[in-house]
Amino acid sequence: MNRTPAVLALSAICGALLWFLSPLLTHKVEPWDAGILPYVSFQFGIGFILGKFFKPPLWQVPAGLVAGQAAYLLFFLEKGSLLPLGLIVLGFFSLSALFGVLIAGYFTPRNSR
């Protein structure tokens, strides 16, 4: 069964939710302004959870997170001169989801893959 659309959609929704919930939970518009550790930990956790239950290819979860965060940033926040830098930072920090998927794969028994 091809799980690519489901994993991409779930991770994109999680990425958008990260930006939507950030002002409500941290009182900061940008999630990384509240601290790098919570921001990266959330992405790592999403990578681990989706990697554990869906066993996607490595690229899907970080790509979905970047897509969801970028879409939220472009459609719901005001754009400034630092937008290109923000998109690069999104891609860099979303690599933590890649590590989550890798570690989930390491802890998944071979016969359940």
Side-chain angles (χ1 to χ4, degrees):
M1 180 168 89
N2 185 3
R3 297 183 181 135
T4 300
V7 172
L8 284 173
L10 278 173
S11 56
I13 289 168
C14 289
L17 275 175
L18 172 62
W19 280 74
F20 175 75
L21 294 174
S22 179
L24 301 173
L25 299 174
T26 66
H27 306 293
K28 304 282 185 185
V29 175
E30 296 175 347
W32 52 66
D33 286 344
I36 298 300
L37 188 59
Y39 179 62
V40 171
S41 298
F42 177 83
Q43 294 188 70
F44 176 86
I46 292 302
F48 185 84
I49 290 167
L50 293 178
K52 187 76 171 158
F53 292 108
F54 291 100
K55 297 153 192 72
L58 294 176
W59 64 271
Q60 288 181 350
V61 176
L65 280 171
V66 168
Q69 291 179 78
Y72 190 88
L73 212 146
L74 292 171
F75 291 116
F76 297 109
L77 298 179
E78 65 181 65
K79 294 136 199 78
S81 61
L82 293 177
L83 179 65
L85 177 63
L87 294 174
I88 292 169
V89 169
L90 287 179
F92 178 73
F93 284 132
S94 294
L95 290 176
S96 62
L98 175 69
F99 294 117
V101 174
L102 283 170
I103 291 177
Y106 178 77
F107 286 111
T108 302
R110 298 255 186 244
N111 58 0
S112 69
R113 288 186 185 169

